[in-house]
Amino acid sequence: MPVDLNNARPLAWDSATLDADTKAMLDNLQPNILRAHVREHLAVLFVRFNDAAEGRAFLRHVATARMKSAREHLEEVRDFAGRGRRGTPYVGIGISKAGYRDLGHSVEQVRAFGDQAFRDGMKRRVAEVEDPPVEQWDRAYQREIHAVVLIGDDRPGPVAALREEIIGALPASARLLGEETGRGMRNPAGDGIEHFGYVDGRSQPLFLKDEVDREPRKHWDPAFPLANVLVPDPFSPDPRRHHGSYLVFRKLEQNVRAFKEIEERLADDLGLKGGDRHRAGAMLVGRFKDGTPVTGRAKAGGGPVANDFTFDGDDGSKCPFSGHIRKTNPRSFGREVLMARRGQTYGRRGDEPWDDAPPETRPSGGVGLLFMAFNSSLVDQFEFTQRSWAGNPDFEHPATGHDPVIGQGERAIKVTFPKVWGKPEQSPPQAQVAQTVTMRGGEYFFAPSLAYLRTL
């Protein structure tokens, strides 16, 4: 029997009654898809193959010698929690449409991938999500990328060693087109943050019972079916039991100085004083820096970073409809659109991202997010979110503006902000905040099953 990807119950992966097909799926699925793998230190390698046989041999070698399965990863997490035993580094592989062609799959065969965005490749989808022209992307992303190799761990040493080993295993016919280095950032509370200084990655779809059981679910259920992230691997030995996921990779550069200037200017325009000035940034992001949702509190604080909330009853007088986390996850609908985000920050800086230092001390470039997310449909999840939600000034209501963080395109309409938290009085209409996140390039990949990679 095929694995039921639409089963609404979270997967009890370690159940004694787990059926053989689900076991086979976990034994042949890459890690980091169903559950995030630790990747405080991350190396991202972009590869081009020029010889089908040698490209296949390289991927087969990496998959056999260095890649673990999703089930092995979950067992490592359990062993670490119970006995403190360290796990092994993460190695993941994604292949682009061009990569499959270069590895010897025909045009007709590649049509087996049902996702049009994947079959087109990111360069041909610029207009769909209002990305910058390809000629403005970083050089590595302008070229034809065939595969991405991801290497992650909580320590830099194992990542550096594996990076050298995998690069050394590249055949002479292949080319390393470029690479990125991700480094996790955390605030004093230990929460992961992004370069604007805000807690990030909290609201994720969860697929496994042990993770779901740890979450409060009074208002919002974080449990999602496997269908949100998995699809059958069409080139695997048995697509009914072997699955993969579409991976979107985007390098997003953040102008931190400009964003902090915008926060200060908005606070001035709204007449916010003292600690209430932090609400300006919270209205743009949807959370205060410590992760407190602005829809629930007028000020930061209140314990662990909340995920059990909705925007029901908030008419925009607490969290504006344009707030980043409201634009990209309305919570009361659109659950089928949510992706499993697995990004990591990049770039070094000498300041502390979470403090209140003046904007002029912040970086204006060279730092940002290596955005990565797993999807069952690039068209219906990533591109829909970017185009119809984040980039749509009339979502969720007319003239509420673009997502101020990741929205792209002309920001022509004027918007308003609540002057007092929870009160109907709005500011006079004003120009939307300027775009401070620039897409520097990327690609669409498919993360195939280990069964495919190991039988190439």
Side-chain angles (χ1 to χ4, degrees):
M1 291 282 295
V3 176
D4 182 7
L5 301 181
N6 291 300
N7 190 330
R9 290 177 297 178
L11 178 63
W13 67 272
D14 56 352
S15 169
T17 61
L18 197 66
D19 64 272
D21 289 313
T22 304
K23 288 180 181 178
M25 180 270 288
L26 290 172
D27 286 336
N28 288 281
L29 185 69
Q30 293 193 40
N32 200 40
I33 299 175
L34 295 185
R35 180 176 186 145
H37 195 290
V38 62
R39 57 202 184 284
E40 291 292 291
H41 298 272
L42 180 72
V44 185
L45 311 178
F46 298 104
V47 177
R48 177 187 175 98
F49 303 118
N50 297 294
D51 181 279
E54 291 186 345
R56 285 171 171 258
F58 168 77
L59 292 176
R60 184 174 65 249
H61 165 73
V62 173
T64 303
R66 287 303 180 187
M67 292 180 71
K68 60 190 168 190
S69 70
R71 186 148 73 134
E72 289 170 319
H73 170 223
L74 297 175
E75 290 171 345
E76 286 183 350
V77 172
R78 182 181 60 192
D79 287 348
F80 181 77
R83 305 181 220 175
R85 181 184 300 167
R86 299 188 67 90
T88 56
Y90 161 60
V91 178
I93 286 176
I95 304 173
S96 70
K97 180 265 297 190
Y100 277 104
R101 291 283 292 112
D102 195 75
L103 292 171
H105 294 285
S106 68
V107 173
E108 188 61 35
Q109 285 177 318
V110 172
R111 290 199 184 101
F113 290 102
D115 192 275
Q116 186 64 51
F118 174 76
R119 296 200 305 268
D120 287 343
M122 190 175 287
K123 296 180 184 68
R124 293 179 59 188
R125 306 289 290 189
V126 164
E128 295 294 326
V129 292
E130 298 194 77
D131 277 340
V134 174
E135 56 267 23
Q136 294 180 13
W137 296 7
D138 290 353
R139 175 60 180 159
Y141 302 107
Q142 295 183 34
R143 304 173 74 180
E144 185 177 88
I145 299 170
H146 291 162
V148 61
V149 181
L150 305 167
I151 308 166
D153 197 59
D154 63 341
R155 299 167 295 168
V159 174
L162 267 177
R163 172 190 172 276
E164 290 299 318
E165 176 186 322
I166 289 173
I167 291 176
L170 280 172
S173 58
R175 293 291 179 269
L176 180 64
L177 299 181
E179 58 181 304
E180 301 287 356
T181 301
R183 298 181 182 89
M185 301 194 306
R186 295 187 177 273
N187 63 18
D191 298 312
I193 60 174
E194 47 72 55
H195 277 285
F196 291 150
Y198 291 79
V199 168
D200 192 29
R202 180 64 181 94
S203 298
Q204 293 273 23
L206 302 180
F207 308 100
L208 305 176
K209 186 177 184 299
D210 55 346
E211 288 195 291
V212 172
D213 286 348
R214 289 194 293 270
E215 292 284 325
R217 289 184 283 168
K218 183 178 180 181
H219 303 288
W220 191 71
D221 186 359
F224 284 74
L226 300 179
N228 264 64
V229 73
L230 297 184
V231 294
D233 181 350
F235 296 153
S236 70
D238 186 355
R240 299 175 308 161
R241 308 172 87 196
H242 303 149
H243 295 76
S245 186
Y246 293 105
L247 169 65
V248 53
F249 180 96
R250 290 162 72 80
K251 182 180 181 180
L252 304 177
E253 185 177 45
Q254 295 175 252
N255 186 337
V256 181
R257 183 178 305 170
F259 188 82
K260 294 302 174 183
E261 289 171 346
I262 287 168
E263 287 180 331
E264 294 287 329
R265 199 156 50 241
L266 180 58
D268 290 341
D269 291 344
L270 297 177
L272 305 182
K273 305 294 184 183
D276 197 33
R277 292 180 65 83
H278 291 149
R279 191 164 57 86
M283 287 191 290
L284 299 176
V285 176
R287 294 183 186 267
F288 289 92
K289 285 183 181 178
D290 70 348
T292 301
V294 72
T295 192
R297 290 176 59 94
K299 296 183 183 298
V305 180
N307 190 37
D308 186 25
F309 69 93
T310 70
F311 298 104
D312 295 348
D314 185 351
D315 60 359
S317 62
K318 298 173 182 176
C319 179
F321 289 103
S322 61
H324 169 61
I325 69 166
R326 189 168 191 171
K327 273 279 196 181
T328 55
N329 183 5
R331 290 181 173 256
S332 59
F333 61 92
R335 289 174 60 86
E336 70 281 358
V337 176
L338 297 191
M339 305 164 277
R341 292 172 288 119
R342 303 291 187 253
Q344 186 54 282
T345 49
Y346 75 88
R348 294 187 179 274
R349 51 193 291 184
D351 61 329
E352 303 292 2
W354 57 82
D355 66 18
D356 291 328
E360 58 267 23
T361 66
R362 306 301 194 181
S364 58
V367 300
L369 177 69
L370 304 176
F371 177 85
M372 289 170 276
F374 290 104
N375 306 244
S376 59
S377 170
L378 293 165
V379 172
D380 295 334
Q381 290 173 277
F382 168 70
E383 288 194 349
F384 177 88
T385 299
Q386 190 70 38
R387 178 186 64 249
S388 300
W389 287 357
N392 180 3
D394 294 319
F395 176 78
E396 179 178 349
H397 291 284
T400 50
H402 289 71
D403 179 329
V405 179
I406 64 167
Q408 300 187 130
E410 185 181 0
R411 303 187 179 194
I413 67 169
K414 293 188 175 183
V415 297
T416 61
F417 292 91
K419 299 184 72 172
V420 179
W421 186 85
K423 301 295 183 182
E425 183 182 4
Q426 297 281 313
S427 69
Q430 58 189 77
Q432 295 187 66
V433 301
Q435 185 172 324
T436 56
V437 175
T438 302
M439 189 272 205
R440 306 295 305 177
E443 187 54 278
Y444 292 142
F445 300 96
F446 186 74
S449 65
L450 294 176
Y452 167 78
L453 292 169
R454 289 172 177 169
T455 55
L456 278 171

